[in-house]
Amino acid sequence: MPSIKQSETDFNKARKLLPGGVNSPVRAFKSVGGTPRFFARAAGSHVWDVDGNDYIDYVGSWGPMILGHAHPDVVKGVQETAEHGMSFGAPCELEIDLAQLVVDMVPSIEVVRFVNSGTEATMSALRLARGFTGRDKIIKFDGGYHGHADGLLVKAGSGAATFGVPDSSGVPADYAKLTLTAPFNDIDAVKALFAGNRDEIACIIVEPVPGNTGVLDLYSNGFLQNLRDICSAEGALLIFDEVMCGFRVAPGGAQQRFGITPDLTCLGKIVGGGLPVGAYGGREDIMRKIAPDGPVYQAGTLSGNPLAMRAGIETLTRLRAPDFYESLEKKSARLVAGLLDGCKEAGVPAVANRFGAMFTVFFTGKDSVMNHADVSEGCDLAFFGRFFNAMLDEGVYLAPSQFESAFVSAAHTDKDIDATIAAAGRALAKLT
Ligand code: KE4
């Protein structure tokens, strides 16, 4: 058992100063148990904690580090830019350069606005959808996570077609009522919501490749196309939240891979190359409603920050290298197959969902995992926690929750993949 004394010391100090000792809840390891590892540094596919333990990293800062940590060209670009000023609060050419890259790469985006997080992107996109349609209600899916804006911290009410209820204290019940929810992959539930709220629904917001219920498949049974069709028929906007899957599953994200055109797209994570950037964009006629062009207000002191713009430019540019996604696809497929073989060998029931370089292995006896209930009620969450900690001890850093995705980067080598599969074999042997 590697020593984690310094992480333990740091965690005790941090808990005195920060809620839960962290600046984002999932980092506290509450759902898997154990002490969060305090990172000292990261490079390529590896991270090192403050005790000097080395891990192959499959979180990649929850998705942004698709090139690998501390990519030399990204670091150099940020250093160069910082020497000319950290933040202007005024337009700069780097904003134009990153906006052009986003417009060129994401099929549905004609006009884009940069913000500082995925939460800001989705919060702003919802306000824009309400401003554009003049309607107040929205639809999201159980287990869909779109950041922590009030209207999105909502879970299903008692009946399928009833209003949402707060999923966090501090969210006013009256506000939550404007958010309707349905299970993933259930188009009849969506149709019932539209029938019960005729002409009142401004938009549907959906992760086209859900990654916050673990990875789910909404595409192969036509669910996403059905959402596109119902929004067009009902005069509601379809918002693809591609904060996680954008630039991850294809250069143009899920919408390029699936050939489905949303009205608005939310981006984050990879678009900032590890620095704080979110973005929302889409049809020009909709985006022109945003101030100062139009009446929907949205602003931000650090939006378009030059350092963050440069990190995003250096990152997105490198995604267009030949075979970039083919190589990610091959490594990810081999890794998931190896992990499932290991589960089979150990007699541990498991299935996996994977899109490109984002995947989740679910510890379940079910044949498939298609929605939130399949995870929350159908998976062995306690076993996941034990597996997660056993893999930490083996030097592999997975996402600390069964409801999260794992990510492969361009920096992961075949040696990393082999070592991860071997580590899983040892961990599973210990647990069974
Ligand atoms: P941020 O505000 O965390 O930048 O983005 C919110 C967000 C929006 N939409 C999707 C699809 C997302 O996955 C996220 C954030 N993802 C989580 C991981 N499940 C970030 C990790 C965390 O909350 O610490």
Side-chain angles (χ1 to χ4, degrees):
M1 168 83 164
S3 160
I4 57 168
K5 279 192 75 47
Q6 190 55 50
S7 279
E8 287 165 342
T9 304
D10 288 348
F11 194 37
N12 289 330
K13 273 189 213 159
R15 280 193 294 203
K16 293 190 179 73
L17 299 164
L18 303 164
V22 292
N23 284 304
S24 199
V26 69
R27 304 177 192 172
F29 281 18
K30 279 233 182 298
S31 73
V32 291
T35 301
R37 302 307 192 261
F38 278 64
F39 285 6
R41 67 184 180 92
S45 55
H46 286 244
V47 294
W48 288 264
D49 67 19
V50 290
D51 292 281
N53 300 309
D54 174 2
Y55 305 91
I56 302 170
D57 176 28
Y58 289 100
V59 176
S61 183
W62 300 96
M65 310 322 294
I66 194 168
L67 297 183
H69 289 288
H71 188 288
D73 296 338
V74 178
V75 171
K76 184 164 170 287
V78 172
Q79 285 169 332
E80 274 172 13
T81 306
E83 282 158 18
H84 302 300
M86 304 292 279
S87 181
F88 304 137
C92 69
E93 290 175 346
L94 290 168
E95 294 168 285
I96 301 168
D97 298 342
L98 187 56
Q100 190 63 64
L101 271 169
V102 169
V103 166
D104 290 348
M105 292 174 76
V106 185
S108 68
I109 295 186
E110 296 171 339
V111 175
V112 63
R113 168 63 62 86
F114 291 118
V115 291
N116 300 284
S117 69
T119 293
E120 271 194 80
T122 58
M123 176 177 75
S124 308
L126 289 188
R127 184 180 309 133
L128 174 56
R130 287 169 159 147
F132 182 78
T133 61
R135 301 175 181 179
D136 291 342
K137 290 178 183 172
I138 67 164
I139 292 177
K140 73 173 287 290
F141 295 92
D142 303 337
Y145 179 70
H146 306 286
H148 61 87
D150 280 353
L152 291 163
L153 292 179
V154 172
K155 61 188 173 201
S158 48
T162 56
F163 304 127
V165 294
D167 201 9
S168 161
S169 61
V171 173
D174 279 353
Y175 192 46
K177 280 182 182 164
L178 294 173
T179 303
L180 310 174
T181 64
F184 282 119
N185 282 311
D186 184 344
I187 196 61
D188 292 334
V190 176
K191 284 178 181 159
L193 289 175
F194 274 100
N197 300 272
R198 187 66 65 204
D199 298 334
E200 294 182 79
I201 295 170
C203 64
I204 293 177
I205 184 165
V206 64
E207 297 170 67
V209 179
N212 292 288
T213 312
V215 176
L216 298 181
D217 176 1
L218 303 184
Y219 173 67
S220 49
N221 67 355
F223 182 65
L224 287 174
Q225 188 55 52
N226 290 336
L227 293 183
R228 173 65 280 169
D229 296 343
I230 200 167
C231 280
S232 303
E234 296 283 347
L237 299 187
L238 178 60
I239 301 178
F240 272 6
D241 176 352
E242 297 217 36
V243 166
M244 185 184 285
C245 59
F247 308 114
R248 166 64 56 185
V249 300
Q255 59 192 266
Q256 178 192 30
R257 183 160 172 157
F258 301 154
I260 296 174
T261 306
D263 299 300
L264 289 174
T265 299
C266 301
L267 299 168
K269 297 180 191 279
I270 292 170
V271 74
L275 292 191
V277 181
Y280 62 102
R283 278 179 22 205
E284 175 154 13
D285 63 317
I286 302 174
M287 288 302 292
R288 292 295 175 206
K289 295 286 184 194
I290 289 289
D293 279 348
V296 180
Y297 192 72
Q298 181 269 308
T301 302
L302 295 175
S303 299
N305 171 276
L307 304 193
M309 295 294 103
R310 182 70 185 270
I313 291 162
E314 298 299 337
T315 298
L316 295 195
T317 307
R318 283 164 182 79
L319 304 184
R320 306 166 90 174
D323 298 336
F324 183 88
Y325 288 89
E326 290 73 9
S327 156
L328 281 183
E329 176 65 27
K330 267 195 234 128
K331 285 187 285 193
S332 306
R334 193 162 77 80
L335 174 60
V336 171
L339 294 173
L340 289 177
D341 287 348
C343 289
K344 210 163 161 198
E345 226 155 278
V348 172
V351 297
N353 288 336
R354 177 180 69 83
F355 271 98
M358 62 188 277
F359 69 90
T360 304
V361 173
F362 297 97
F363 293 112
T364 177
K366 299 174 76 70
D367 295 339
S368 65
V369 171
M370 297 290 286
N371 56 45
H372 187 257
D374 285 348
V375 186
S376 56
E377 292 152 32
C379 289
D380 187 340
L381 305 182
F383 185 84
F384 179 87
R386 294 196 294 276
F387 178 70
F388 170 82
N389 279 288
M391 287 294 269
L392 270 188
D393 292 343
E394 294 286 346
V396 176
Y397 194 86
L398 298 171
S401 164
Q402 175 71 94
F403 294 89
E404 295 289 354
S405 307
F407 303 102
V408 178
S409 80
H412 283 88
T413 61
D414 282 336
K415 186 163 163 276
D416 288 328
I417 305 297
D418 292 337
T420 304
I421 293 168
R426 293 191 297 272
L428 289 163
K430 270 188 222 157
L431 296 173
T432 50

